[in-house]
Amino acid sequence: QVQLVESGGGLVQAGGSLRLSCAASGTILRLNAMGWYRQAPEKQRELVAVITTGGSTNYADSVKGRFTISRDSAKNTVYLQMNSLKPEDTAVYYCAAGYRYSLGHPDYWGQGTQVTVSS
């Protein structure tokens, strides 16, 4: 089993920045990808960013150039640096981890952290 614990959400004005963290614990050696999903009210959950064990990254078009995913392997932690935030970025952000590189169907989820961007 793998446990994911997120932190770093909050309220920020448009144009501001936030950094989310996701600490993984448990049986993590076989994981091949970690990343972030988000879900806004009345919308489907969407993949925001992925990072693989090889360091490859992928982003949703809506966040490219504004968000950066990174990891600290020594701390088993993945980060999402969010800059130039927009009100449409408001959502609950979920950390996800999986055995498949695409992270299209994660095997593990965090509890979620709220990000609210005011206009």
Side-chain angles (χ1 to χ4, degrees), residues 81-95:
Q81 178 67 44
M82 305 185 293
N83 298 329
S84 302
L85 282 161
K86 304 175 181 180
E88 50 263 44
D89 294 318
T90 295
V92 177
Y93 283 70
Y94 296 91
C95 181

Side-chain angles (χ1 to χ4, degrees), residues 51-108:
I51 187 165
T52 69
T53 51
S56 297
T57 59
N58 195 25
Y59 298 90
D61 288 342
S62 58
V63 306
K64 283 181 181 177
R66 300 188 298 122
F67 290 11
T68 302
I69 189 169
S70 62
R71 64 178 185 177
D72 184 332
S73 298
K75 295 181 179 180
N76 298 324
T77 299
V78 171
Y79 305 97
L80 186 67
Q81 178 67 44
M82 305 185 293
N83 298 329
S84 302
L85 282 161
K86 304 175 181 180
E88 50 263 44
D89 294 318
T90 295
V92 177
Y93 283 70
Y94 296 91
C95 181
Y99 302 114
R100 289 171 286 270
Y101 288 99
S102 68
L103 207 61
H105 298 282
D107 297 279
Y108 303 99

Side-chain angles (χ1 to χ4, degrees), residues 9-18 82 85-87 90 115-119:
L11 173 64
V12 65
Q13 288 187 333
S17 299
L18 281 175
M82 305 185 293
L85 282 161
K86 304 175 181 180
T90 295
V115 171
T116 303
V117 184
S118 63
S119 58

Side-chain angles (χ1 to χ4, degrees), residues 4-6 21-24 34-37 45 78 93-97 103 106 108-113:
L4 304 173
V5 178
E6 302 113 329
S21 300
C22 174
M34 291 184 67
W36 296 90
Y37 278 74
R45 193 173 294 190
V78 171
Y93 283 70
Y94 296 91
C95 181
L103 207 61
Y108 303 99
W109 294 94
Q111 79 283 1
T113 186

